């Protein structure tokens, strides 16, 4: 294992960015999350929400993106491990997708709790 280098750190950022770009180019739900993220940020700016509310919004947005990214990685890994139909793999993929749904519903509730008082 080699030591720290700026070049290797930059490569890590490149690979991570490539993964995010791949996710955005292959996952329709990621586009929905992107649109929701832009709308929420625009609404927060327009309504001049407080710094405390921004903290909650950022945490919520990040949680949804983490869930979507992990779900995408999990699905691709499952497809490599078991390219043929497998009931257990299908259930595991459904559960991972359910995690994204839970985060998205939680984000919608959080958004309502934050934005309604400003309206």
């Amino acid at each position: 294992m080699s030591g720290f280098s700026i070049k290797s750190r930059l490569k890590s950022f490149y690979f991570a960015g490539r993964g995010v770009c791949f996710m955005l180019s292959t996952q329709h739900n990621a586009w929905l999350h992107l649109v929701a993220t832009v709308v929420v940020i625009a609404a927060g700016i327009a309504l001049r929400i407080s710094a405390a509310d921004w903290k909650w919004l950022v945490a919520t947005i990040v949680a949804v993106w983490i869930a979507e990214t992990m779900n995408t990685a999990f699905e691709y890994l499952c497809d490599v491990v078991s390219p043929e139909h497998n009931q257990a793999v299908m259930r595991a993929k459904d559960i991972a997708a359910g995690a994204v749904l839970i985060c998205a519903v939680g984000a919608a509730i959080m958004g309502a709790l934050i934005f309604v008082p400003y309206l």
Side-chain angles (χ1 to χ4, degrees):
M1 184 168 177
S2 62
F4 176 85
S5 77
I6 297 296
K7 184 178 179 181
S8 64
R9 291 312 97 218
L10 291 174
K11 283 175 86 173
S12 293
F13 279 104
Y14 168 77
F15 295 140
R18 187 172 68 179
V20 171
C21 288
F22 179 77
M23 177 186 62
L24 286 169
S25 70
T26 61
Q27 303 299 306
H28 295 120
N29 287 341
W31 278 98
L32 295 175
H33 297 308
L34 182 61
V35 169
T37 298
V38 170
V39 168
V40 165
I41 291 170
I45 292 168
L47 294 172
R48 296 184 173 156
I49 65 171
S50 70
D53 286 337
W54 273 114
K55 290 174 189 174
W56 286 108
L57 279 182
V58 169
T60 303
I61 290 167
V62 169
V64 171
W65 279 105
I66 289 170
E68 182 62 42
T69 304
M70 294 304 295
N71 178 56
T72 300
F74 188 79
E75 286 183 356
Y76 275 91
L77 184 60
C78 283
D79 291 343
V80 168
V81 171
S82 180
E84 69 285 340
H85 178 76
N86 179 306
Q87 189 70 21
V89 169
M90 182 191 76
R91 291 218 189 278
K93 289 168 77 171
D94 288 349
I95 292 166
V100 179
L101 178 62
I102 291 167
C103 279
V105 169
I109 293 168
M110 181 68 77
L113 291 171
I114 289 172
F115 286 116
V116 167
Y118 289 93
L119 302 174

